[in-house]
């Protein structure tokens, strides 16, 4: 357990706090909600920065970091649906994409390779934080609602595009791995046949 991992785990604990603040609509909930989202986003950047700088990249961190991000973003958007601030179908696309990519990463990890986060994926994360913040503030300040809607549409579009790109990367690596396995099996079969022929 190191500092980057502690920051990642702390981000998971922000999830229930954010849900409670938004759904109970406590006093100044829009301010507290945005603060929680921004602090969580900052810890997301900070844990990655510290892990690289201190060379403390661990398997636990690689597994928990994307999971923490997806839990936080999913909780925020689902809460906004409950508050009737965003359409449910948009959130289904956003959340579905998050867990589809997480599933691909887990399969890739089990197969012994990784799928690196794309620049588009990183842009999507920033846009999600911006969109959530604008929508939360827009619930009290109607002037921000059009900007929040534009940001939300951008999130949906980028989510779909980045999902396709992730799948293509995954498929290419799986295809290469399958071909390597087939080649290895052919070599082993040829060797075994040669040994059988050589045996009197």
């Amino acid at each position: 357990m190191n500092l980057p991992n502690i920051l990642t785990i702390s981000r998971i604990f922000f999830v229930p706090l954010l849900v409670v603040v938004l759904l109970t609509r406590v006093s100044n909930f829009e301010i507290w909600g945005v603060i929680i989202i921004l602090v969580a986003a900052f810890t997301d950047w900070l844990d990655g920065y510290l892990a690289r700088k201190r060379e403390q990249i661990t398997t636990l961190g690689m597994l928990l970091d994307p999971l923490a991000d997806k839990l936080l973003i999913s909780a925020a958007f689902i809460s906004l649906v409950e508050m009737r601030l965003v359409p449910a179908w948009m959130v289904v696309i956003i959340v579905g994409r998050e867990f589809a990519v997480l599933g691909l990463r887990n399969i890739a990890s089990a197969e012994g390779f990784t799928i690196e986060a794309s620049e588009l994926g990183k842009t999507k994360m920033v846009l999600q934080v911006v969109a959530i913040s604008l929508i939360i503030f827009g619930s009290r300040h109607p002037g921000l609602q059009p900007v929040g809607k534009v940001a939300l549409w951008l999130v949906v579009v980028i989510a779909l595009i980045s999902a396709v790109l992730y799948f293509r990367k995954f498929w290419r690596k799986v295809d290469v791995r399958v071909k390597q396995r087939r080649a290895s099996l052919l070599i082993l079969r040829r060797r075994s046949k040669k040994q059988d022929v050589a045996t009197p």
Side-chain angles (χ1 to χ4, degrees):
M1 185 61 67
N2 52 41
L3 182 56
N5 287 347
I6 291 171
L7 288 171
T8 300
I9 292 170
S10 71
R11 194 155 68 256
I12 294 174
F13 285 101
F14 280 126
V15 173
L17 180 61
L18 178 65
V19 171
V20 169
V21 166
L22 292 179
L23 296 188
T24 59
R25 298 196 182 221
V26 295
S27 179
N28 296 319
F29 75 91
E30 73 281 5
I31 295 173
W32 289 112
V34 171
I35 287 173
I36 293 169
I37 283 288
L38 293 180
V39 170
F42 176 71
T43 64
D44 181 28
W45 171 82
L46 185 61
D47 63 23
Y49 172 77
L50 291 176
R52 290 187 296 271
K53 185 176 181 180
R54 298 184 176 189
E55 297 183 351
Q56 293 181 331
I57 298 174
T58 63
T59 303
L60 179 65
M62 291 173 66
L63 291 172
L64 284 182
D65 185 64
L67 179 62
D69 293 343
K70 286 161 179 50
L71 286 173
L72 182 73
I73 294 301
S74 299
F77 275 120
I78 292 170
S79 296
L80 293 176
V81 170
E82 178 67 20
M83 297 167 72
R84 299 187 179 182
L85 295 176
V86 298
W89 69 268
M90 284 182 149
V91 173
V92 168
I93 291 173
I94 295 167
V95 174
R97 180 266 178 204
E98 295 297 325
F99 285 94
V101 169
L102 182 62
L104 291 179
R105 280 183 168 174
N106 288 339
I107 295 170
S109 178
E111 289 293 322
F113 60 88
T114 58
I115 305 176
E116 298 297 331
S118 65
E119 289 301 319
L120 193 61
K122 294 175 183 177
T123 302
K124 178 189 63 62
M125 181 61 186
V126 173
L127 263 177
Q128 284 175 333
V129 172
V130 171
I132 291 167
S133 300
L134 287 171
I135 292 166
I136 292 173
F137 267 134
S139 64
R140 287 283 179 91
H141 307 282
L144 291 174
Q145 289 178 3
V147 185
K149 287 180 181 178
V150 171
L152 183 62
W153 271 102
L154 286 174
V155 170
V156 171
V157 171
I158 291 177
L160 291 171
I161 294 172
S162 63
V164 171
L165 294 178
Y166 266 110
F167 183 79
R168 287 179 64 187
K169 285 182 183 179
F170 173 81
W171 186 256
R172 285 174 184 171
K173 291 194 176 186
V174 167
D175 189 47
V176 169
R177 187 58 58 92
V178 168
K179 287 176 180 177
Q180 288 175 344
R181 285 178 180 173
R182 286 177 180 173
S184 299
L185 284 172
L186 285 172
I187 291 169
L188 287 172
R189 286 175 183 173
R190 286 172 184 171
R191 286 178 180 174
S192 64
K193 285 180 180 178
K194 287 179 181 179
Q195 288 175 354
D196 291 341
V197 171
T199 303

